Amino acid sequence: MGRTAHRTKHGKRDTQAPKADSRRERGKGDACGASPAERMAHATCTGVRHAPPRLSLTIPPERIDAATWDQIESALALPCMVHLAVMPDAHAGYDLCIGGVALLDGHISPSFVGYDIGCGMCHVNTGLPADEALPDEAARRLLFDRLRLAIPVGTATRAAGEYDLPRFTSASGDAQLTEAVNARQSIQLGTLGGGNHFLEVGVNKRGEIGITVHSGSRRSGWDIAAWYMRQGRLFPLDSRLGRAYRQDMDWALDYALLNRRLMLEHALRALADVHRQLARPTHKPVTGTAAPKVRTRPAASPASALPTSSLSSLVPSASPAPSSQPPLSVQEISLLLGRMINENHNHAVVWNQPGPSGAPLVLHRKGATPADAGQPGIIPANQRDGVYITEGLGNEEYLSSASHGAGRRMSRNEAQRTILLERFQSQMRGVVCRSDKGVLDEAPDAYKPIAEVLAAQDGVLVRVIDHFRPLVVLKG
């Protein structure tokens, strides 16, 4: 643990990026064969390096695979790199490794933030006793059905007009980017998406129900990220593209937060509805009833200003919940949403602190979450092992950051090819979820063991304060 010397010898292998972007080697030698746009992007990072960049690893170097090391070395080669911290769930991504936290001198990088700008997690402990609100598999299946009706997953969208957001205008001035975002932003609001995005209803050791949502800025954020990545690897913060990317990124961060908040509201309403039906035993539960529609209030932007709260208010006390607790009211749902934990793990933050060149430092987190001292956080394992609630320790050696999950140890193709469907279904027994071949790439075996990932940061980056094992999981 602690600062680790940069390793120079290791086996290397090529990493492939999405075909649409035609990935090239980055940061090596004189960048022969790079396009003019890429050579220009490298040339913009001209700050004089006053000291070699710091590299902080949370795990031993030998536990990092060759593809991830390639991306670490490429990032360290940038003259504007000040400090790079690597989280224990690190694995190869696009350009900067997932689980990478990069502090740059006066530059902002769209590829260091990633395609799903603002992707993150929201969590709320409802305080409802699971043995009353979700006492058996029938009740959990009823909730699963309600969630599927209330929240579109995968490529599904909402009906036009269900949500009406103000028109987006890209700060880049590019009309095609503006139109691409506006074509989808309203119909994808309050939708989960696919891949590793999920909505999970779990229970902690005190028997309380917690709900966690993991999703991001959907296609709108992807379009913004892809457009700027085509312009270059990174931009000076005070350049036209640097200012424009920062503004469009901030819009996507707000959109992603609003997206998660709306899904969490739908989930709380669905849970309250199921609990209400169980409290009326003379009425037979009916599946297939849609959850109440949520209306958004008009706003100048899709930002959602949520009040913050202390850690003690986020984690209820261990006193036993009263029996025969009534279902959540509208007012209680509103209060829960007001004190939910929110953390995103794909963003850039401009520090009010100059770097070696005199320009502001810019912190990039890609697949990593903030872990400032006392900050509540969320680290999901996989859909079998649940969600861990944490408190940040503010470790500056690792740029006050933590992992955003367990991290993949298999690509999606490898998981589909090698994991046995029968094993996946056996592992998910007791959890109401999809466990068919279509989501085999999200099987627990596709992810790193959460115990190892937590051990590398518990007491160093964060302190684990609660754990919710899954009862119901919704995935694309």
Side-chain angles (χ1 to χ4, degrees):
M1 202 68 68
R3 192 182 306 179
T4 303
H6 177 44
R7 191 177 75 166
T8 57
K9 290 187 178 181
H10 56 81
K12 294 186 178 182
R13 68 171 182 265
D14 293 336
T15 55
Q16 299 298 320
K19 292 181 179 178
D21 287 88
S22 147
R23 174 83 183 273
R24 294 168 295 273
E25 277 196 304
R26 308 255 189 195
K28 295 186 178 181
D30 59 1
C32 291
S35 69
E38 184 164 1
R39 287 195 296 271
M40 179 180 67
H42 279 286
T44 61
C45 188
T46 56
V48 177
R49 180 178 288 161
H50 293 263
R54 295 165 63 192
L55 173 63
S56 300
L57 301 177
T58 55
I59 54 177
E62 59 270 15
R63 285 175 53 186
I64 299 176
D65 63 77
T68 305
W69 266 115
D70 285 343
Q71 295 184 335
I72 291 171
E73 288 186 335
S74 176
L76 289 171
L78 290 170
C80 58
M81 177 63 70
V82 175
H83 190 175
L84 179 64
V86 180
M87 299 298 104
D89 60 338
H91 55 284
Y94 177 64
D95 197 9
L96 181 66
C97 66
I98 297 169
V101 184
L103 187 63
L104 300 184
D105 179 13
H107 289 75
I108 193 166
S109 171
S111 60
F112 278 23
V113 172
Y115 279 101
D116 196 355
I117 302 171
C119 185
M121 289 161 287
C122 290
H123 171 88
V124 65
N125 184 340
T126 69
L128 283 177
D131 59 359
E132 291 187 12
L134 295 173
D136 52 30
E137 185 175 351
R140 296 165 193 172
R141 289 198 175 277
L142 176 58
L143 178 59
F144 181 73
D145 290 341
R146 297 295 175 85
L147 292 173
R148 286 198 303 174
L149 287 169
I151 300 172
V153 302
T155 58
T157 62
R158 294 193 176 272
E162 187 172 352
Y163 294 118
D164 187 16
L165 291 175
R167 181 175 173 80
F168 166 81
T169 301
S170 174
S172 69
D174 187 86
Q176 288 185 332
L177 175 56
T178 292
E179 291 308 313
V181 171
N182 285 311
R184 293 184 174 90
Q185 62 153 331
S186 292
I187 60 174
Q188 287 194 325
L189 189 61
T191 68
L192 191 63
N196 63 350
H197 293 166
F198 65 82
L199 188 151
E200 183 169 307
V201 181
V203 60
N204 65 8
K205 289 182 179 179
R206 298 187 296 274
E208 300 157 336
I209 293 175
I211 303 177
T212 307
V213 178
H214 173 208
S215 190
S217 51
R218 309 294 286 112
R219 181 69 189 203
S220 295
W222 194 98
D223 283 332
I224 290 170
W227 189 89
Y228 282 98
M229 286 187 209
R230 288 194 293 268
Q231 313 312 308
R233 188 184 191 186
L234 46 80
F235 316 117
L237 193 59
D238 61 355
S239 67
R240 181 184 66 84
L241 283 172
R243 291 190 298 268
Y245 174 71
R246 185 179 175 187
Q247 183 173 324
D248 286 358
M249 177 196 69
D250 285 345
W251 181 93
L253 291 173
D254 290 339
Y255 179 90
L257 173 56
L258 180 58
N259 183 41
R260 289 192 294 276
R261 187 187 187 279
L262 288 172
M263 285 187 283
L264 191 54
E265 184 171 0
H266 276 294
L268 287 166
R269 289 175 178 265
L271 177 62
D273 191 28
V274 169
H275 190 193
R276 193 173 295 112
Q277 291 198 32
L278 294 176
R280 298 196 305 267
T282 56
H283 291 78
K284 183 179 179 181
V286 179
T287 59
T289 304
K293 181 183 291 187
V294 182
R295 297 184 179 275
T296 54
R297 59 182 176 83
S301 78
S304 178
L306 298 174
T308 58
S309 62
S310 67
L311 185 66
S312 60
S313 68
L314 289 166
V315 182
S317 67
S319 58
S323 61
S324 302
Q325 182 168 335
L328 295 170
S329 67
V330 173
Q331 292 77 16
E332 288 170 328
I333 289 174
S334 179
L335 287 172
L336 287 171
L337 290 170
R339 65 173 187 259
M340 73 182 187
I341 304 173
N342 173 68
E343 278 199 320
N344 78 68
H345 43 247
N346 290 342
H347 60 249
V349 181
V350 179
W351 283 8
N352 187 24
Q353 178 181 339
S357 71
L361 293 169
V362 185
L363 182 71
H364 300 71
R365 291 188 180 97
K366 186 176 188 181
T369 58
D372 294 321
Q375 179 168 359
I378 310 159
I379 300 179
N382 55 65
Q383 58 180 320
R384 176 197 61 191
D385 296 329
V387 171
Y388 291 82
I389 307 303
T390 63
E391 178 185 4
L393 298 179
N395 191 326
E396 295 182 0
E397 173 66 22
Y398 300 96
L399 298 171
S400 295
S401 301
S403 80
H404 79 316
R408 295 193 71 89
R409 67 176 180 182
M410 290 185 191
S411 69
R412 296 191 179 277
N413 288 337
E414 183 183 0
Q416 285 281 355
R417 189 175 65 253
T418 61
I419 296 176
L420 295 177
L421 180 60
E422 294 78 9
R423 175 173 170 81
F424 174 34
Q425 292 172 337
S426 175
Q427 289 174 325
M428 299 309 299
R429 194 167 292 129
V431 180
V432 178
C433 63
R434 279 187 65 187
S435 57
D436 55 81
K437 188 171 177 58
V439 291
L440 193 57
D441 53 345
E442 283 296 305
D445 287 342
Y447 287 86
K448 297 178 181 179
I450 188 61
E452 294 180 6
V453 174
L454 288 177
Q457 56 191 318
D458 190 16
V460 180
L461 310 181
V462 296
R463 180 171 66 92
V464 176
I465 58 177
D466 210 347
H467 173 237
F468 289 79
R469 63 175 178 84
L471 300 174
V472 178
V473 178
L474 184 68
K475 273 186 176 284

